[in-house]
Amino acid sequence: TLCQPPSYGLYRRTGDIIAPDPYPVGHAQPLAHVSRCMVSLNKSLQGDRPLWGVPQAFGGYSSWDVPTPEESRNMTYQFLVHGARGLIYYTYWDGSFDMRDHPELWESLRRQVAEVQKLAPVLLSPEEDVVREQGPDGIVQTRWQPHEGRFYLIAVNAGEGDLGAVTLDIPLDRPGILRGVFDEIEAPVADGRVQLDMPAMAVRVLRLEPAQQ
């Protein structure tokens, strides 16, 4: 586990699996710190080690705050967009933080794990993905993933501001409709673009369906 981004290059060969643990909530870092660390580590690893993620699941001591369910899910999908092949939620049970005192966060983690399990074949697909930073200041993190003849888009607003409707580029010039995997959202695709509503900390997980459906 690497916690100091400047040292990523020094320690990238020291383990069989490399996992950063950026803990931004309440620690003077934006949520997008997760993506920034993953981008930096991907550059350092150069594909020679599996990359996992350690999302923050604790708070209430020092300067850290307990993540809200929205913040927790957002961090999880930032890791997944940038290629995490595994997740370890770090709770730091030390007497001052006890997950049993935070049932909403616990239930959110249970739902997230179920989502990741459902998406696992897609997330672990050997087919080449396309990861981009889009939207204002590149705050929307996107991953386009082909898998067994289907196409999936994960889009994460890594910021805490409502972006409204954001036009995203996708690497497929084919008409269709992107439909939510875990919600009722749908958006038409045309000319390699799709427009999605991206409120603060929004996570969109969508699958491309033919336009006639």
Side-chain angles (χ1 to χ4, degrees):
T1 299
L2 303 182
C3 62
Q4 298 293 333
S7 70
Y8 286 167
L10 295 174
Y11 292 97
R12 68 186 180 89
R13 296 184 182 275
T14 58
D16 295 320
I17 296 170
I18 302 298
D21 61 351
Y23 301 144
V25 181
H27 204 243
Q29 294 282 2
L31 278 179
H33 182 58
V34 173
S35 288
R36 293 171 187 169
C37 288
M38 290 292 285
V39 169
S40 175
L41 189 50
N42 269 310
K43 290 179 180 177
S44 296
L45 289 177
Q46 300 174 354
D48 66 359
R49 290 292 189 280
L51 182 59
W52 287 21
V54 187
Q56 180 181 348
F58 69 91
Y61 75 94
S62 185
S63 60
W64 281 289
D65 294 334
V66 179
T68 65
E70 293 78 15
E71 289 170 330
S72 176
R73 188 167 185 256
N74 187 280
M75 288 186 287
T76 291
Y77 278 93
Q78 286 189 62
F79 278 116
L80 296 176
V81 162
H82 289 283
R85 296 296 190 261
L87 297 166
I88 303 172
Y89 290 96
Y90 189 64
T91 61
Y92 197 69
W93 188 82
D94 67 341
S96 60
F97 177 82
D98 188 335
M99 182 61 76
R100 291 172 293 188
D101 297 329
H102 303 276
E104 290 186 0
L105 178 58
W106 177 248
E107 287 305 314
S108 173
L109 293 173
R110 287 166 57 91
R111 290 192 299 270
Q112 291 171 50
V113 169
E115 290 181 10
V116 173
Q117 288 176 332
K118 181 174 180 178
L119 288 173
V122 177
L123 297 170
L124 299 175
S125 174
E127 299 180 56
E128 186 175 0
D129 61 6
V130 177
V131 177
R132 292 174 174 167
E133 296 175 294
Q134 305 192 61
D137 299 319
I139 199 66
V140 180
Q141 314 295 308
T142 66
R143 175 178 172 181
W144 180 261
Q145 181 66 63
H147 176 62
E148 296 183 346
R150 308 195 77 171
F151 298 90
Y152 295 79
L153 174 67
I154 301 175
V156 181
N157 177 2
E160 298 177 52
D162 187 344
L163 302 178
V166 178
T167 299
L168 304 174
D169 293 325
I170 60 173
L172 186 71
D173 188 10
R174 180 194 303 174
I177 297 176
L178 281 165
R179 289 195 169 94
V181 175
F182 302 116
D183 53 36
E184 300 301 319
I185 291 174
E186 63 177 46
V189 172
D191 302 321
R193 292 183 174 181
V194 62
Q195 189 174 81
L196 294 175
D197 185 38
M198 298 297 292
M201 296 183 284
V203 174
R204 306 299 190 209
V205 182
L206 307 111
R207 181 174 54 229
L208 185 68
E209 307 288 354
Q212 65 269 21
Q213 292 189 4

